[in-house]
Amino acid sequence: DIQMTQSPASLSASLEEIVTITCQASQDIGNWLAWYQQKPGKSPQLLIYDATSLADGVPSRFSGSRSGTQYSLKISRLQVEDIGSYYCQQAHSNPWTFGGGTKLELK
Amino acid sequence: EVQLVESGGGLVQPGRSLKLSCAASGFTFSNYYMAWVRQAPKKGLEWVATISTSGSRTYYPDSVKGRFTISRDNAKSSLYLQMNSLKSEDTATYYCARTTYYFDYWGQGVMVTVSS
């Protein structure tokens, strides 16, 4: 199975700050990676797919990038509505696996 | 607007069975693969099952293979998850999701608690 190691597990940041979350795949997954946002008490929502493509309706302050088997989600200017948990997911091969999650809080 | 509404959750004893349902609307259900993803309390996300458009192909992780069965009724735009031989570690919120490798729409989730 492909392991997705996500870091940090938790993160405290200030409004307007730049936030970066990373995910390390245990093997090559190409661009088969997605990022999800889960606000407190809500269902997850797709943010980024194919490592760098923004899902419909997602603000442009969110972006995804890839360097080898390391993937990053960047929030350029943190807003209060961005608070919640974030998960990466590989779609390269069965079983589809998620990272452990990053809980983002306001400082 | 895409809507996915799960039902059928509840409290069940270990070893017993439960069947979840998901009613879909706002898109052509028969054109999409569908999936179930679960989240144990205060934990991360775990993919549970995927089914092809016709229902002829199904996919499961080892953690539920042989115990869970995903199915669909395209005429009713409905997705199902039959869960047998339930264990305490199956306690989670179960989400129905539309999938195209990624999970692009999710339901609100339904809670399943396995406890004696």
Side-chain angles (χ1 to χ4, degrees):
Chain A
D1 297 2
I2 297 174
Q3 309 301 318
M4 304 301 295
T5 304
Q6 193 172 334
S7 61
S10 63
L11 176 58
S12 182
S14 303
L15 291 176
E16 303 291 323
E17 189 174 331
I18 297 173
V19 170
T20 302
I21 298 167
T22 63
C23 218
Q24 179 72 48
S26 61
Q27 63 188 73
D28 180 24
I29 60 170
N31 286 328
W32 293 102
L33 183 107
W35 290 96
Y36 300 87
Q37 175 193 60
Q38 186 176 30
K39 296 182 181 181
K42 300 294 186 182
S43 308
Q45 287 188 298
L46 179 65
L47 286 178
I48 302 279
Y49 63 95
D50 291 347
T52 61
S53 298
L54 215 58
D56 290 345
V58 175
S60 58
R61 63 179 179 276
F62 290 92
S63 63
S65 62
R66 171 195 173 191
S67 176
T69 57
Q70 184 168 81
Y71 300 82
S72 297
L73 172 69
K74 178 181 171 182
I75 308 174
S76 60
R77 294 172 59 184
L78 185 67
Q79 303 297 302
V80 65
E81 58 266 31
D82 300 334
I83 298 311
S85 294
Y86 291 81
Y87 297 91
C88 62
Q89 176 238 331
Q90 66 82 15
H92 180 271
S93 54
N94 180 3
W96 318 136
T97 46
F98 291 86
T102 296
K103 187 173 182 180
L104 176 58
E105 299 175 322
L106 267 181
K107 189 180 292 182
Chain B
E1 178 194 5
V2 172
Q3 283 200 314
L4 299 168
V5 180
E6 302 93 336
S7 60
L11 174 64
V12 61
Q13 292 180 328
R16 304 298 290 264
S17 299
L18 197 66
K19 186 172 184 177
L20 305 181
S21 299
C22 172
S25 61
F27 65 103
T28 305
F29 181 75
S30 58
N31 286 354
Y32 288 86
Y33 278 49
M34 296 295 295
W36 291 95
V37 178
R38 69 184 179 184
Q39 185 171 35
K42 305 291 187 185
K43 298 294 185 183
L45 300 169
E46 180 187 17
W47 165 70
V48 171
T50 292
I51 188 166
S52 63
T53 52
S54 66
S56 61
R57 286 168 290 176
T58 57
Y59 309 86
Y60 308 92
D62 288 344
S63 58
V64 306
K65 196 175 295 182
R67 299 189 301 122
F68 288 12
T69 302
I70 188 172
S71 62
R72 65 192 296 161
D73 184 335
N74 286 341
K76 294 182 178 180
S77 295
S78 293
L79 179 72
Y80 307 100
L81 185 67
Q82 176 68 46
M83 303 184 292
N84 298 332
S85 303
L86 282 161
K87 307 175 182 180
S88 58
E89 51 264 41
D90 295 319
T91 293
T93 296
Y94 285 74
Y95 296 100
C96 164
R98 195 178 81 170
T99 181
T100 54
Y101 296 105
Y102 308 111
F103 307 103
D104 61 354
Y105 287 95
W106 301 60
Q108 85 286 352
V110 62
M111 185 68 199
V112 173
T113 302
V114 183
S115 174
S116 54

